[in-house]
Amino acid sequence: QNPSAACELCGETHPTHQMAVHHKNKDRRDNSPENLQLLCERCHYRIHALEWRRAAVARSVARLKAMEDEFAALGRAVK
């Protein structure tokens, strides 16, 4: 019989080989117990997918701001 563990996020029980250790502060070198969270693969993926989406949105906002600044500079140069 395979050992199992409960996901700290969803609470579902999974075989331990389907679990992942998540570093809450994103520092893989920080293995202090308060930084580690035992998650099922699905929840672990969801956490990182959300982070990836947030980073993509932040990059898009930065590009739009740079474009606005360029257009504003062009407008001042034309006047």
Side-chain angles (χ1 to χ4, degrees), residues 47-72:
I47 285 175
H48 286 289
L50 180 59
E51 292 169 354
W52 299 328
R53 283 192 292 268
R54 285 181 179 156
V57 167
R59 286 189 302 271
S60 295
V61 168
R63 282 193 299 267
L64 287 172
K65 177 68 175 134
M67 290 172 64
E68 286 176 348
D69 293 345
E70 286 180 39
F71 284 129

Side-chain angles (χ1 to χ4, degrees), residues 24-71:
K24 295 177 188 178
N25 69 3
K26 300 172 192 66
D27 181 356
R28 292 182 181 185
R29 295 167 297 177
D30 181 358
N31 292 314
S32 58
E34 58 274 0
N35 185 46
L36 302 178
Q37 192 173 26
L38 188 60
L39 303 176
C40 66
E41 291 175 344
R42 181 178 58 211
C43 287
H44 194 224
Y45 172 79
R46 287 178 177 169
I47 285 175
H48 286 289
L50 180 59
E51 292 169 354
W52 299 328
R53 283 192 292 268
R54 285 181 179 156
V57 167
R59 286 189 302 271
S60 295
V61 168
R63 282 193 299 267
L64 287 172
K65 177 68 175 134
M67 290 172 64
E68 286 176 348
D69 293 345
E70 286 180 39
F71 284 129

